[in-house]
Amino acid sequence: MSRYLSGRIGQALLVLWAAFTLSFVLLQMLPGDAILIKFQDPSMGLSPAQIAEMRAAYGADMPLWQQYLHTLGSFLHGDFGFSIQAGVPVTELLVSNFPPTLRLAVLGFLLAVVLAGVIAFASNLLPLRWLKSALLTLPSLFIAIPTFWLGIALIQVFSFRLGWIPVINPGEWVGLILPVITLAVPISAPLAQILIRSIDKVQTQPFVSVARAKGASRSRVLWLHVGRNATLPALTIAGLLFGELIAGALVTETVFGLNGIGQLTQQAVNNQDLAVLQAIVVISATAYVTINLLVDLVYPLLDPRLKTSVGVSS
């Protein structure tokens, strides 16, 4: 087990290093200069010598390889640098903007799991064929809907036409209803598809036939015998979908004007604030890698077939 754990942690660290390196290279290739964008403004009245001093203060005058090593070392010590536009440590911006995004992501993921479960299990329990067919088409429809379009459509229907959810100054939790739905619908689609296929596969197993032969009802067999085994593949997909969940949260925050990592990212892109963008990429990659690492470690505990291969003792 220790060997398996060390291997998975090593792979996670390698992915984080690759994400950091790739994002550093790509951000350095962006046209323009964030320092010049801010300090060359004629209204600030700075001389070329003063602007050069500002570049030196931010380390922008160093060779790229030195900037890379300096930034990497700072990140390893938890120092994400300073925001050129805000003039404050990037850590302060992340601390103030990360909690709203985390709340949106968690609620959106929970709703996606509920939607996927309802679609998958209801499609197997409902007796009407046409209703079952309608449920089976929902995942394909959900996954085809762009996140930004869905958000705009929900605002148009529930805020402007029906007037159920105010656009201006909604309550803290009321204002999350439409964003959470917007985030959850696309995420629920692949989860539902995996669950449906997994349920169909598990129902052909011999132990399901034995349970039915003993007189268990269809719903009891589905919940007690099929459900646990069918959710294992969905657990793996849930971890992989976390990256999409982060991207969806950024788009959703922008559409609904929510304060969070999405708005911070948009502002950093507009101002070419590379330190902020680099930190957001690394934090997002860390969250993604951590979730998938936890899934990899929990999966052998849930699936007895994998315990022997990874050395987990019962």
Side-chain angles (χ1 to χ4, degrees), residues 106-149:
V106 170
L107 293 176
F109 181 76
L110 293 177
L111 180 58
V113 171
V114 172
L115 287 175
V118 169
I119 293 173
F121 286 97
S123 64
N124 280 272
L125 291 175
L126 294 178
L128 299 177
R129 184 178 297 273
W130 67 268
L131 189 54
K132 179 179 180 178
S133 300
L135 287 174
L136 292 176
T137 59
L138 285 181
S140 298
L141 176 63
F142 287 171
I143 204 170
I145 300 177
T147 302
F148 69 91
W149 183 91

Side-chain angles (χ1 to χ4, degrees), residues 49-74:
Q50 291 173 319
I51 295 177
E53 291 180 2
M54 296 302 301
R55 290 182 59 83
Y58 281 100
D61 61 337
M62 295 189 300
L64 284 180
W65 67 270
Q66 290 185 2
Q67 293 185 39
Y68 173 81
L69 294 178
H70 174 74
T71 306
L72 179 60
S74 299

